[in-house]
Amino acid sequence: MFEHFGFKDIFIGLWKFKYLIIGVTVIIAVLGNMGITAMMNSGIDVGNNEIYSFSKVCCFNNKDLTVDKKGGFTENELARMYNAILQKNFVKKAVLENISEKYSNEQIIEIYDKTFNSDLSSKNEIKISEFGKFLEVKTMADNMCIEYTVSSSDEQFTRDLIACYSEYLENSTKELNENIDVIYIDEIEGHLEAEEEQGISSIVKNKF
């Protein structure tokens, strides 16, 4: 029946451009709403500090799946799964160990205190639950994608930390299945700056 009307060809044609369609949908949805929203929701007190926020939006391509055959995890299942996994303590611990190769414990605590208006320096210790506050994760586009955002008072630390989460994500998917690729749809840089006379100013930039 579908062949008679050419519907099958239309669906197959659309399927080839699914990531482009998803990407356009996501970009429209996130313009002006990413980075800054994540910072506000994370409990960050801007105060007199500059806060930097870097976000990545990605979906997953399982090469074992085709239009006519299903095998393994679907894109929706992978997005929901990694939305949950990235927030697990074992992931935060692994990422903390990774970032600690570039930053000392004292440096991370100093950035944390400045970001969250805290006083961990008196304890000289940062718990996994506290370290996890640098990260925000959520699903998007009807669970087809995930957005993960890192925010802190140190621009380079923010860049390095989101790179560590990206590295974990990419390595984890390959361990799960060599045929699963992480497809990055958008990257967003957000910047909150407290100004004495004008209040808080914000800048959001899309990389793609």
Side-chain angles (χ1 to χ4, degrees), residues 24-68:
V24 172
T25 303
V26 170
I27 290 172
I28 292 173
V30 302
L31 275 174
N33 191 42
M34 292 183 61
I36 304 304
T37 300
M39 283 185 260
M40 296 303 187
N41 291 340
S42 64
I44 294 176
D45 180 8
V46 176
N48 293 321
N49 299 326
E50 291 183 311
I51 301 297
Y52 301 89
S53 177
F54 299 134
S55 301
K56 290 191 176 185
V57 179
C58 68
C59 55
F60 303 88
N61 179 32
N62 185 352
K63 297 173 186 174
D64 287 343
L65 296 176
T66 65
V67 175
D68 301 314

Side-chain angles (χ1 to χ4, degrees), residues 115-165:
T115 302
F116 298 100
N117 194 25
S118 180
D119 187 25
L120 291 184
S121 57
S122 60
K123 304 176 183 178
N124 197 31
E125 178 186 5
I126 183 167
K127 298 178 181 178
I128 296 298
S129 59
E130 293 166 333
F131 177 76
K133 291 174 65 177
F134 286 119
L135 177 74
E136 292 285 331
V137 189
K138 66 180 180 182
T139 57
M140 304 184 69
D142 292 329
N143 294 321
M144 287 294 291
C145 309
I146 62 170
E147 170 207 342
Y148 56 104
T149 303
V150 170
S151 303
S152 86
S153 60
D154 187 285
E155 182 177 6
Q156 189 57 52
F157 175 81
T158 308
R159 293 183 185 277
D160 291 337
L161 185 55
I162 199 167
C164 288
Y165 275 107

Side-chain angles (χ1 to χ4, degrees), residues 5-38:
F5 290 102
F7 287 169
K8 183 177 181 180
D9 292 335
I10 293 174
F11 291 143
I12 292 175
L14 289 174
W15 184 262
K16 293 178 181 178
F17 298 100
K18 62 178 178 177
Y19 293 114
L20 176 61
I21 296 171
I22 293 171
V24 172
T25 303
V26 170
I27 290 172
I28 292 173
V30 302
L31 275 174
N33 191 42
M34 292 183 61
I36 304 304
T37 300

Side-chain angles (χ1 to χ4, degrees), residues 58-61 148 166 169-170 173-174 180-184:
C58 68
C59 55
F60 303 88
N61 179 32
Y148 56 104
S166 297
L169 179 64
E170 293 161 14
T173 54
K174 289 303 179 185
I180 296 175
D181 294 325
V182 179
I183 310 296
Y184 292 101

